[in-house]
Amino acid sequence: MEPSVAGLTSKLEPRRGPVKVQLNTWVLASTEARLKWLVKDRQFTVTSVVDVALQELLDRYDVPAADPDGRIGER
């Protein structure tokens, strides 16, 4: 496995412990098709893929980290 794929795979490993909340949204049919392909081909879960993708986007925009209970402290 190439390094970039290995790093992504480790991020997509099941996580135990943190509080999870339900997130309902709509995506383009093409996005759903690609997500389903990834989940099936790499044996990931939709939850882990969406969580990693959102975390990477939030990090890119310097959104402050939240504690395990979902609270963001003062900046």
Side-chain angles (χ1 to χ4, degrees), residues 46-73:
V46 171
T47 298
S48 62
V49 171
V50 171
D51 189 57
V52 167
L54 285 172
Q55 285 186 50
E56 289 183 3
L57 177 72
L58 296 169
D59 288 347
R60 184 179 309 149
Y61 286 97
D62 297 319
V63 176
D67 68 20
D69 293 321
R71 292 182 300 258
I72 296 177

Side-chain angles (χ1 to χ4, degrees), residues 1-3 5 11 16 21 25 27 42-43 46 55 57 70:
M1 204 178 305
E2 52 186 90
V5 175
K11 288 182 180 179
R16 303 211 185 266
V21 296
T25 190
V27 296
R42 306 297 168 117
Q43 298 180 343
V46 171
Q55 285 186 50
L57 177 72

